[in-house]
Amino acid sequence: MQPTIRRATAADHERLEALQRLASLATGEHHQELLDNPAVFGIAAENIAHSLVAELDGEVVGFCTVLPTSADVAEVDAVFIDPKTWRRGIGRMLLIEAERRAAQSGIRTLGVTSGGHAVSFYQALGFRLSGTEMTDFGPADRLTKDIGETNPGQVAHRAG
């Protein structure tokens, strides 16, 4: 069964925070630091309006948040999927739909700062490494994607 994707609502807030916690702890990356800093699992209420959720059998199993940073640039702030539903393409579906909506609103470049466990996920969707950024938990990879000329979710192929 395919999940349905919809805009998040204020009623989803608590579930999104729970998903963020579940998924973050399940990666094993920075496990103790995350447990020692539970405030990192909070989601600003104003970010809900920029989030999409995936529902499976009436349950929210994932979400993606894309925050505009300028008229044509946005930041992928979150992609979290319930570990029980990992490896089913839900994160991919959410990010592709978020990218499509961002492009329709005039966004041309997406950026994301990612822990090591998710870099290949973003690269498979056409993001390219663009550097390293310091986070609260140490260095993380910085990736960007030009969405102005490509189909959502696709890697740009240029002749040349």
Side-chain angles (χ1 to χ4, degrees):
M1 178 177 213
Q2 289 285 354
T4 57
I5 296 176
R6 63 168 174 81
R7 283 232 171 259
T9 67
D12 296 314
H13 197 171
E14 190 174 307
R15 175 64 178 152
L16 302 189
E17 289 183 338
L19 279 173
Q20 182 180 24
R21 180 180 170 80
L22 279 170
S24 296
L25 293 172
T27 70
E29 199 170 45
H30 305 291
H31 193 266
Q32 192 58 51
E33 293 98 325
L34 291 168
L35 290 174
D36 292 344
N37 296 287
V40 300
F41 300 116
I43 298 171
E46 60 269 17
N47 290 359
I48 300 296
H50 300 282
S51 300
L52 299 175
V53 298
E55 285 185 320
L56 197 56
D57 297 324
E59 180 184 359
V60 174
V61 295
F63 75 100
C64 176
T65 304
V66 175
L67 302 174
T69 58
S70 71
D72 62 349
V73 177
E75 184 74 8
V76 178
D77 182 66
V79 178
F80 291 102
I81 309 302
D82 189 322
K84 296 181 299 192
T85 61
W86 281 358
R87 310 295 302 166
R88 295 188 194 176
I90 295 169
R92 178 182 179 85
M93 288 175 57
L94 277 166
L95 189 53
I96 288 171
E97 179 60 17
E99 183 180 318
R100 184 187 70 75
R101 292 180 187 206
Q104 285 180 335
S105 71
I107 299 297
R108 295 293 168 244
T109 304
L110 287 178
V112 65
T113 301
S114 177
H117 67 280
V119 170
S120 62
F121 165 76
Y122 291 109
Q123 288 177 314
L125 290 169
F127 285 79
R128 295 183 184 197
L129 288 171
S130 60
T132 303
E133 193 168 294
M134 189 55 71
T135 71
D136 291 342
F137 301 108
D141 289 312
R142 182 75 185 150
L143 299 98
T144 57
K145 181 177 182 182
D146 177 5
I147 63 172
E149 300 174 15
T150 61
N151 292 326
Q154 302 299 308
V155 177
H157 296 284
R158 291 181 177 32

